[in-house]
């Protein structure tokens, strides 16, 4: 006499065999999928290797040289296509602070959005160094511009003092260019070959700002702005005055005019944009 | 003889013990009194260090040009001529001039440097590099912004240029340290050209001999970090 348990055994074995085959099939499918994904990643990585290397070089924690991108189509090298917008400060660094609780880091983010819209309407591609309340380092911000071809860099600020309702553009003063062994532009003086272009660009924007905001100078000013020094592109700093206003709306009212002036300034500068000889390791 | 010697020795030792017992409480009291003398606090030490350079009675009174903010346009500098007893010795003279600049003009609205900032030290290297070491208040109390920071550095550089022809370029330190920026914007890793009339040595020519900027404002120009500066013995 067989027990009920013994009678159920063959059935259980059959069921187990069926389950095992199903599991094996699933495992094989999983392995095949993994191989497929890995192969896909390999292809994509191979295609974007140049870009990744350039970006990595540009955003290294302690960069020493500017390695310009090498995988750009020839037509892209000749013109200005990209504008890197840098809303200054962010994170724990609020920048200038007004008596009414106005924070530079918040205001410049709003200003950046308006400038971005104005530039995109002109057909430019826009890259922002920050989109939220983070605070990339000076070098990381510069690195975003240095990884591009055909780019200009605009860092946006609100001052603590100065005549309210005015706007000033700053460019780096003359500085000696240093080229490392191998012909690579030194990171510390990356702006040096671009200074004359930056001045042209700055004058174009400042002229338009002066038309809109009375009391603003007619030409760009020179100042040793840290953010500009390591940027290997025509680069300007735009500073609005100031957080000392009684009401934030005074600064909000300036923003559309500033955005329009920057966008028109970039468009006016576009024909002058020719990369200087010796600006880093040209491909 | 031998016994007497021992007696005298015992008497001597006994006397010494008695004298020591009497003197010990007095000595202890003196140690306690000395310990009670207050050590100078950090703030006292800072004040002593940053006390204005004493004016020597024999120093000649000369016309000094100080650069504070212009009354008409607070975004630019204006020279103010004042009479000041200045030492002929360059480092002392630089300290006297910078302390006067820090003290500010009669109209405090025209200050370019924060009132709580102090000059901690000034060095003059043989190659004409002036190193001005300021207290942390210069960085923490200067209003954040390109314009205000530029005005502060320009006022220092132009005041030195007007009164110390020996100073060719300027390096600003904060509490003995090189800072990346003054208050978030202006680059302090660079040196600033002070005296544009004096030829810059060797490698500095590239930066210093560059054409003047087309822009309207006269600005203090930076030189590249470390270029042409030799770590020679500074005068202090």
């Amino acid at each position: 006499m067989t027990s009920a348990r013994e009678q159920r055994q063959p059935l259980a074995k059959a069921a187990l065999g069926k389950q095992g085959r199903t599991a094996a099939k699933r495992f094989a499918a999983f392995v095949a999928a993994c191989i497929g994904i890995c192969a896909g990643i390999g292809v994509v990585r191979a295609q974007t290797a140049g870009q990744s290397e350039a970006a990595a070089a540009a955003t290294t924690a302690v960069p020493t040289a500017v390695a310009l991108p090498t995988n750009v189509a020839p037509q892209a090298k000749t013109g200005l296509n990209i504008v890197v917008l840098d809303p200054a400060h962010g994170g724990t660094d609020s920048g200038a602070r007004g008596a009414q609780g106005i924070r530079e880091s918040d205001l410049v983010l709003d200003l950046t959005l308006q400038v971005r819209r104005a530039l995109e309407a002109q057909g430019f591609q826009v890259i922002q160094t920050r989109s939220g309340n983070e605070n990339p380092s000076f070098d990381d911000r510069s690195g975003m511009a240095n990884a591009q071809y055909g780019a200009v860099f605009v860092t946006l600020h609100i001052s603590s003092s100065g005549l309210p309702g005015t706007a000033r553009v700053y460019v780096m003063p003359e500085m000696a260019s240093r080229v490392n062994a191998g012909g690579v532009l030194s990171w510390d003086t990356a702006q040096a070959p671009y200074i004359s272009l930056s001045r042209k660009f700055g004058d174009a924007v400042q002229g338009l700002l002066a038309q809109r905001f009375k009391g603003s100078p007619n030409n760009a000013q020179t100042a040793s702005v840290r953010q500009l020094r390591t940027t290997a592109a025509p680069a300007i700093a735009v500073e609005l005055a100031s957080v000392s206003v009684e009401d934030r709306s005074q600064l909000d009212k300036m923003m559309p005019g500033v955005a329009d002036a920057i966008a028109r300034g970039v468009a006016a500068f576009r024909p002058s944009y020719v990369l200087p000889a010796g600006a880093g390791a040209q491909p | 003889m031998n016994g007497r010697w021992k007696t005298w020795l015992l008497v001597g030792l006994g006397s010494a013990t008695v004298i020591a017992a009497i003197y010990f409480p007095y000595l202890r009291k003196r140690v306690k009194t000395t310990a009670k003398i207050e050590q100078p606090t950090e703030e006292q030490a800072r004040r002593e260090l940053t006390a204005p350079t004493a004016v020597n009675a024999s120093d000649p009174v000369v016309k000094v040009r100080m650069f504070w903010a212009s009354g008409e346009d607070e975004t630019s500098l204006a020279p103010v001529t004042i009479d000041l007893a200045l030492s002929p010795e360059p480092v002392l003279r630089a300290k006297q001039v910078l302390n006067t600049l820090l003290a500010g003009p009669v109209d405090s609205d025209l200050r370019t440097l924060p009132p709580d900032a102090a000059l901690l030290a000034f060095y003059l290297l043989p190659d004409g590099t002036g190193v001005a070491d300021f207290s942390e208040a210069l960085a923490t109390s200067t209003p954040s912004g390109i314009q205000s920071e530029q005005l502060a550095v320009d006022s220092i550089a132009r005041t030195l240029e007007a009164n110390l022809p020996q100073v060719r370029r300027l390096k600003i330190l904060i509490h003995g340290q090189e800072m990346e920026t003054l208050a978030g914007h202006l680059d302090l890793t660079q040196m600033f050209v002070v005296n544009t009339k004096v030829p810059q040595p060797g490698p500095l020519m590239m930066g210093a001999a560059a054409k003047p900027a087309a822009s309207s404002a006269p600005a203090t120009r930076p030189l590249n970090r470390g270029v042409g500066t030799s770590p020679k013995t500074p005068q202090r």
Side-chain angles (χ1 to χ4, degrees), chain A residues 121-145:
Chain A
Q122 299 259 11
F124 292 103
Q125 183 191 337
V126 176
I127 294 170
Q128 286 182 223
T129 57
R130 71 177 175 101
S131 303
N133 193 29
E134 61 271 14
N135 185 18
S137 69
F138 288 122
D139 285 331
D140 283 347
R141 293 172 197 246
S142 290
M144 290 183 209

Side-chain angles (χ1 to χ4, degrees), chain B residues 85-195:
Chain B
L86 279 191
S87 167
E89 201 278 313
V91 173
L92 263 179
R93 192 181 176 94
K95 286 181 180 176
Q96 289 166 336
V97 162
L98 291 180
N99 280 323
T100 308
L101 185 72
L102 283 161
V106 177
D107 182 355
S108 61
D109 289 345
L110 304 181
R111 296 188 70 96
T112 53
L113 304 173
D116 51 343
L119 180 71
L120 301 180
F122 189 89
Y123 309 92
L124 185 59
L125 303 181
D127 68 353
T129 302
V131 181
D133 183 11
F134 290 94
S135 65
E136 282 181 9
L138 186 72
T140 54
S141 303
T142 297
S144 178
I146 301 169
Q147 189 177 294
S148 47
E149 292 172 42
Q150 175 77 1
L151 203 67
V153 171
D154 267 349
S155 72
I156 297 169
R158 294 183 69 185
T159 300
L160 286 174
E161 181 188 17
N163 303 294
L164 282 114
Q166 299 91 339
V167 181
R168 296 176 182 178
R169 54 193 160 269
L170 171 70
K171 174 75 181 174
I172 294 176
L173 301 178
I174 303 294
H175 212 101
Q177 303 289 316
E178 181 185 74
M179 301 289 282
E180 191 165 33
T181 63
L182 178 55
H185 302 84
L186 210 73
D187 196 348
L188 289 192
T189 63
Q190 310 283 299
M191 280 194 284
F192 299 94
V193 174
V194 173
N195 198 335

Side-chain angles (χ1 to χ4, degrees), chain A residues 89 95-96 104 138 157 159-163 168 170 172-178 188-189 199 217 219-226 229 237 239, chain B residues 73-75 143-148 150 180-181 184-187 189-190 192 206-207 210-211 213-217 219-222 224-225 227:
Chain A
H89 311 286
E104 181 185 4
F138 288 122
H157 298 260
S159 68
S160 296
S161 54
L163 185 65
R168 285 170 177 251
Y170 294 91
M172 277 295 281
E174 293 291 345
M175 59 198 286
S177 180
R178 287 211 300 272
D188 280 344
T189 56
R199 188 168 299 127
N219 291 310
Q221 316 291 292
T222 51
S224 180
V225 180
R226 166 62 188 89
R229 177 167 57 82
E239 188 174 68
Chain B
D73 174 14
E74 64 173 33
T75 61
S144 178
I146 301 169
Q147 189 177 294
S148 47
Q150 175 77 1
E180 191 165 33
T181 63
H185 302 84
L186 210 73
D187 196 348
T189 63
Q190 310 283 299
F192 299 94
M206 293 170 77
K211 290 177 200 166
S215 57
S216 57
T220 306
R221 290 175 294 159
N224 296 339
R225 173 173 40 186
V227 178

Side-chain angles (χ1 to χ4, degrees), chain A residues 22 71 75 83 91 95 98 106 127 132 166 175 185 190 213 271 279:
Chain A
T22 310
N71 60 339
Q75 63 270 22
V83 181
D106 298 338
I127 294 170
T166 59
M175 59 198 286
L185 189 63
F213 303 105

